[in-house]
Amino acid sequence: MANKNTKILVTGAAGFLGGTICRQLVDRGDDVRAFVLPNDPAMKYVPAEAEVVAGDLTDKESLERFFTVDEGTETIVLHIASIVSVNPEYNQKVMDVNVGGTQNIIDLCLSHPECKKLVYCSSTGAIPELPEGQAIAEIDHFDSNKVLGCYSQSKAIATQLVLDAVEKQGLNACVVHPTGIMGPEDFAVGETTGTLIKIINGEMPAGIDGSFNLVDVRDLARGTIAAIDKGRKGECYILGNEEVSFKEFCKLVSDESGCKPVKMFLPIWAANLMGKMMENKAKKTGEKPLMTTFSVYNLARNNAFDSSKAIKELDYHTRPYKETIHDEVQWLKATGKIA
């Protein structure tokens, strides 16, 4: 736990991971300041004990308010906020927030001497994929040309900005790379939770013969918080889990929820074909495609990640998928998101 005169500043505090981090920090008695977008409807889920500052990562003035503390107070920054996009196309807003916003955070950490550490939440998407059969481990240099999709590219650029600031400007920072995220208290209903609801409601006629790598949000939050105390300067840590096939995942969901099991799983080539057709249709209608070639790629790719460094240095560990799915199904029922 951080000492009494330390305030922990959390960006993205109304998001799935950021909100869970705030709750865990409050539970362990930390003094938390939460950065949220003005009028964010999810603001109400930020724990009441946290001080809320409204602002935008691209607006340095609002960040200055977020960083300013009473004399004698030290700060630690957990930069969790980002725009996640499953659309691979270049998106200026994704770049402005994920790259420009991270540069702004770095600048403020450096201009505030009371800021003692930055923990940056990157993504395993920033790390180039290795051939099937090889587990993907941490790297020490990030190149946006070696990863696919605008989101992953933005995270690769931003991660390198953090590492450059460590090397050239003496910033005390480390990086965590979560794989996918799932679990209870996903108030905004992200991609994985949305998929879970579709499976339970019988709205998924067919799955795809691929795999996921998903971590319980509570374990990701714990791993990120552990990086405050244990993460070494300039080091990166993969926070992943065992790879799970879409088939196994669907079976666990139907076992836990009692829903009808998904019977059919499309081979990757067929799913790609369908994704392409849906993308073309979406271009004409302007509706969001149910499936894209990029979402198929994310299931077809090598999703084996090596978290041994985080296990060793951050005492990181994950619970079984069965437990996470059980807890998430219970939460979805309790909040009326499923019958």
Side-chain angles (χ1 to χ4, degrees):
M1 185 178 137
N3 71 41
K4 254 223 278 285
N5 292 339
T6 302
K7 203 182 268 288
I8 301 187
L9 313 183
V10 183
T11 70
F16 190 15
L17 178 56
T20 307
I21 285 171
C22 284
R23 286 187 283 278
Q24 288 187 8
L25 288 168
V26 163
D27 285 349
R28 69 174 207 165
D30 282 307
D31 181 6
V32 179
R33 181 181 281 177
F35 194 62
V36 295
L37 281 166
N39 309 318
D40 188 328
M43 205 187 281
K44 61 176 181 281
Y45 302 118
V46 174
E49 297 85 347
E51 176 197 354
V52 173
V53 172
D56 189 308
L57 286 174
T58 60
D59 170 25
K60 267 194 149 163
E61 214 173 290
S62 66
L63 280 173
E64 193 58 64
R65 285 198 305 276
F66 176 56
F67 269 78
T68 303
V69 291
D70 296 340
E71 210 171 322
T73 302
E74 292 185 345
T75 59
I76 290 164
V77 178
L78 300 184
H79 179 31
I80 313 300
S82 72
I83 295 183
V84 180
S85 171
V86 288
N87 180 348
E89 304 294 317
Y90 183 84
N91 180 321
Q92 193 57 52
K93 190 162 169 53
V94 169
M95 286 294 175
D96 290 347
V97 171
N98 295 1
V99 179
T102 301
Q103 183 61 61
N104 288 344
I105 291 282
I106 292 166
D107 293 347
L108 279 137
C109 287
L110 289 166
S111 67
H112 281 261
E114 75 282 0
C115 176
K116 296 302 169 199
K117 186 168 192 177
L118 166 65
V119 177
Y120 172 56
C121 182
S122 178
S123 162
T124 46
I127 304 170
E129 187 186 354
L130 292 176
E132 204 64 52
Q134 289 182 41
I136 300 164
E138 290 83 0
I139 56 172
D140 55 14
H141 185 82
F142 293 82
D143 181 346
S144 62
N145 297 315
K146 291 183 177 169
V147 293
L148 291 176
C150 185
Y151 171 71
S152 293
Q153 286 161 349
S154 74
K155 295 304 262 187
I157 298 167
T159 308
Q160 193 54 48
L161 288 175
V162 172
L163 296 184
D164 286 347
V166 171
E167 197 186 336
K168 297 172 184 153
Q169 293 166 285
L171 177 69
N172 181 21
C174 66
V175 176
V176 292
H177 296 273
T179 53
I181 180 170
M182 65 181 296
E185 302 191 319
D186 182 8
F187 299 104
V189 183
E191 283 292 313
T192 311
T193 304
T195 302
L196 206 68
I197 293 170
K198 279 196 189 101
I199 296 168
I200 292 166
N201 290 342
E203 290 161 12
M204 190 169 283
I208 296 168
D209 203 4
S211 69
F212 298 114
N213 192 314
L214 299 164
V215 183
D216 190 301
V217 66
R218 296 163 292 186
D219 299 333
L220 281 180
R222 251 197 299 277
T224 307
I225 292 167
I228 294 174
D229 308 314
K230 299 174 180 162
R232 287 186 294 129
K233 182 176 174 178
E235 294 294 324
C236 298
Y237 300 93
I238 287 173
L239 305 181
N241 201 353
E242 297 294 318
E243 197 174 358
V244 64
S245 74
F246 202 157
K247 269 186 190 150
E248 289 169 78
F249 183 79
C250 288
K251 185 176 179 332
L252 284 167
V253 173
S254 74
D255 288 351
E256 285 303 326
S257 67
C259 72
K260 281 202 179 90
V262 177
K263 290 269 189 350
M264 194 168 83
F265 290 86
L266 299 173
I268 295 297
W269 65 266
N272 257 324
L273 212 62
M274 275 179 72
K276 205 154 206 57
M277 278 158 56
M278 287 177 181
E279 281 169 347
N280 290 337
K281 189 181 164 205
K283 276 189 185 129
K284 290 184 187 121
T285 62
E287 285 171 22
K288 192 178 162 205
L290 196 68
M291 185 164 77
T292 65
T293 47
F294 191 62
S295 57
V296 174
Y297 158 72
N298 281 320
L299 288 164
R301 58 162 288 162
N302 177 5
N303 281 309
F305 291 93
D306 177 0
S307 302
S308 56
K309 182 176 173 184
I311 292 165
K312 197 169 118 202
E313 294 190 22
L314 306 180
D315 190 28
Y316 167 71
H317 46 267
T318 53
R319 66 197 76 202
Y321 281 102
K322 186 176 162 53
E323 186 185 323
T324 302
I325 291 170
H326 171 82
D327 292 353
E328 184 161 3
V329 167
Q330 294 305 312
W331 178 77
L332 289 169
K333 283 180 178 164
T335 49
K337 287 179 172 49
I338 57 170

